[in-house]
């Protein structure tokens, strides 16, 4: 990679291995993860439950619960700085200021005994200068930014709907203008119209502030609408990366094709939706080869023995699949 391109990277992960060491064995949550995201862009992380998407987001904030989680090896760089070598104090200064995360469940992300403006103000006071009055004023401004009247800042989380709670969580994440926002299933459990409002609001804020976004989701419709570059994960590994056009119109990995076949499309005639047979592997006893091999309808003998190296299909499109090794 050229130095010019590296300067435009907000986050860079190399060969990251994360394990959860439990009483029932060692679970490999991430196994050799590689990730890059350019400044100001949106990267979509997709895959079914257990693929390692949320663990990736938590790793970028070094919030893997320890115990039982352990970052075994690899590097995580934010703006060229390796966060794995930083002290706890240095990381505390980064969280919320340089990198912020919208956690998956807004119902449990908010303190029920504090007003929403107090919770946003706490984040502001941690990273910005000024007193309580100034922090509360800024908190109300953040509520306005996400479409909630500032006058409602003195209310408690139980007085808000699910969609409004999600807006409050987004306001907290954006309170200190982070360079990188990690949005973990930001529209889970919301109805379709509220989902659209939340996503449109996030895109508008991103464009206004030039923010970089990692969008974690299992919903391919959402990622198609929001992300320019997509990483497909399966069982702790990246199996395919590409532009949105690559992934949706030229998918190369059987898992990516299976995911797309399971999604209803208005632009295609579909008799019925496909299903993916079987279940993800037990990562306490991970397979030697491709983790998707046991579920793959086009499995080759080598698939169960060795994980394939990256095959570059184009400048933007890469896949880890033995079926594609002859196309290099």
């Amino acid at each position: 990679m050229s130095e010019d391109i590296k300067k435009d990277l907000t986050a860079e992960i190399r060969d990251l291995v994360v394990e959860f060491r439990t009483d029932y064995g060692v679970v490999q949550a991430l196994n050799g993860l590689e990730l890059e995201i350019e400044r100001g862009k949106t990267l979509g992380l997709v895959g079914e439950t257990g693929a390692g998407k949320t663990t990736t987001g938590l790793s970028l904030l070094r919030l893997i619960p320890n115990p039982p989680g352990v970052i075994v090896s690899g590097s995580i760089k934010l703006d060229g700085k390796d966060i794995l070598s930083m002290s706890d104090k240095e990381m505390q200064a980064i969280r919320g200021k340089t990198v912020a995360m919208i956690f998956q469940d807004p119902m449990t992300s908010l303190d029920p005994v504090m007003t929403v403006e107090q919770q946003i103000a706490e984040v502001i006071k941690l990273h910005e200068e000024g007193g309580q009055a100034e922090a509360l004023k800024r908190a109300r401004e953040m509520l306005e930014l996400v479409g909630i009247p500032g006058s409602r800042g003195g209310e408690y989380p139980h007085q808000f709907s699910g969609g409004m709670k999600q807006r409050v969580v987004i306001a907290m994440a954006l309170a200190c203008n982070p360079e990188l926002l990690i949005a973990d299933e930001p529209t889970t459990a919301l109805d379709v119209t509220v989902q659209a409002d939340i996503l449109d609001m996030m895109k508008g804020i991103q464009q206004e502030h030039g923010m970089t976004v990692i969008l974690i989701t299992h919903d391919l419709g959402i990622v198609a609408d929001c992300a320019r570059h997509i990483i497909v994960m399966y069982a702790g590994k990246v199996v395919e990366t590409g532009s949105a056009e690559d992934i949706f119109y030229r998918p190369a990995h059987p898992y990516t094709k299976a995911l797309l076949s399971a999604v209803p499309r208005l632009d295609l005639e579909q008799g019925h939706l496909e299903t993916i047979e079987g279940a993800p592997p037990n990562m306490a006893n991970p397979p030697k080869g491709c983790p998707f091999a046991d579920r793959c309808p086009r499995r080759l003998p080598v698939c169960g023995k060795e994980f394939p190296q990256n095959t570059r299909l184009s400048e933007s499109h890469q896949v880890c699949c033995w079926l594609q090794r002859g196309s290099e």
Side-chain angles (χ1 to χ4, degrees):
M1 180 184 301
S2 72
E3 290 301 316
D4 288 340
I5 294 176
K6 279 196 172 186
K7 288 177 184 177
D8 289 332
L9 291 178
T10 299
E12 182 181 9
I13 293 177
R14 294 292 177 214
D15 200 23
L16 184 66
V17 177
V18 177
E19 295 178 349
F20 287 89
R21 297 170 181 175
T22 72
D23 294 337
Y24 305 100
V26 177
V27 176
Q28 291 189 357
L30 296 176
N31 189 357
L33 178 70
E34 303 273 334
L35 178 152
E36 295 175 354
I37 180 166
E38 293 181 42
R39 193 178 310 280
K41 303 294 177 62
T42 298
L43 171 70
L45 286 186
V46 301
E48 60 195 293
T49 300
K53 306 184 301 297
T54 296
T55 301
T56 300
L58 293 174
S59 297
L60 282 161
L61 284 165
R62 222 173 74 189
L63 285 177
I64 299 293
N66 184 6
V70 179
I71 296 177
V72 178
S73 61
S75 68
I76 304 173
K77 292 183 178 180
L78 297 174
D79 286 331
K81 299 175 183 176
D82 187 355
I83 69 167
L84 297 184
S85 62
M86 292 182 180
S87 66
D88 290 341
K89 187 175 181 180
E90 288 174 314
M91 280 306 304
Q92 191 174 23
I94 284 176
R95 296 184 191 116
K97 178 66 175 176
T98 303
V99 186
M101 188 166 182
I102 301 170
F103 292 94
Q104 198 168 114
D105 185 3
M107 313 302 173
T108 58
S109 297
L110 297 171
D111 189 329
V113 299
M114 292 178 67
T115 65
V116 295
E117 66 181 20
Q118 286 174 330
Q119 296 184 58
I120 299 170
E122 265 198 348
V123 178
I124 296 168
K125 286 193 295 180
L126 187 63
H127 296 288
E128 307 284 351
E129 296 181 357
Q132 177 73 4
E134 190 172 335
L136 287 172
K137 180 174 180 261
R138 170 71 174 153
R140 294 184 197 109
E141 290 173 354
M142 291 307 302
L143 289 173
E144 296 279 356
L145 181 67
V146 298
I148 298 175
S151 58
R152 296 196 64 185
E155 297 180 18
Y156 292 85
H158 73 271
Q159 295 174 275
F160 291 82
S161 67
M164 286 294 190
K165 283 191 183 81
Q166 188 64 291
R167 290 173 185 265
V168 172
V169 170
I170 292 171
M172 289 176 66
L174 298 176
C176 295
N177 296 318
E179 294 178 25
L180 172 62
L181 177 67
I182 303 166
D184 188 3
E185 303 281 7
T187 57
T188 297
L190 302 178
D191 64 57
V192 176
T193 54
V194 176
Q195 281 187 17
D197 287 344
I198 294 288
L199 293 171
D200 286 344
M201 178 197 69
M202 287 179 59
K203 284 190 285 186
I205 293 171
Q206 180 189 16
Q207 291 170 2
E208 184 178 346
H209 296 280
M211 190 169 53
T212 307
V213 176
I214 295 179
L215 177 62
I216 298 172
T217 183
H218 64 275
D219 190 325
L220 289 169
I222 288 175
V223 83
D225 184 48
C226 299
R228 292 181 59 184
H229 196 79
I230 299 170
I231 289 180
V232 182
M233 296 184 67
Y234 185 79
K237 286 182 174 290
V238 172
V239 295
E240 187 167 0
T241 67
S243 67
E245 291 78 12
D246 291 330
I247 298 301
F248 283 94
Y249 296 104
R250 295 178 292 276
H253 198 282
Y255 178 60
T256 309
K257 294 177 181 179
L259 284 178
L260 291 169
S261 296
V263 177
R265 295 271 298 271
L266 295 178
D267 58 336
L268 295 176
E269 290 188 13
Q270 292 174 301
H272 66 279
L273 295 178
E274 300 292 333
T275 59
I276 305 176
E277 299 295 331
N282 177 6
M283 295 312 290
N285 184 26
K288 291 181 180 179
C290 174
F292 189 63
D294 287 344
R295 305 173 75 184
C296 183
R298 300 182 63 194
R299 173 178 175 168
L300 301 173
V302 70
C303 296
K305 299 175 183 177
E306 185 180 350
F307 188 78
Q309 296 294 314
N310 233 344
T311 299
R312 184 175 290 277
L313 303 177
S314 70
E315 186 176 342
S316 62
H317 197 185
Q318 299 178 56
V319 65
C320 294
C321 181
W322 286 109
L323 293 168
Q324 301 292 335
R325 292 297 290 166
S327 63
E328 287 184 299

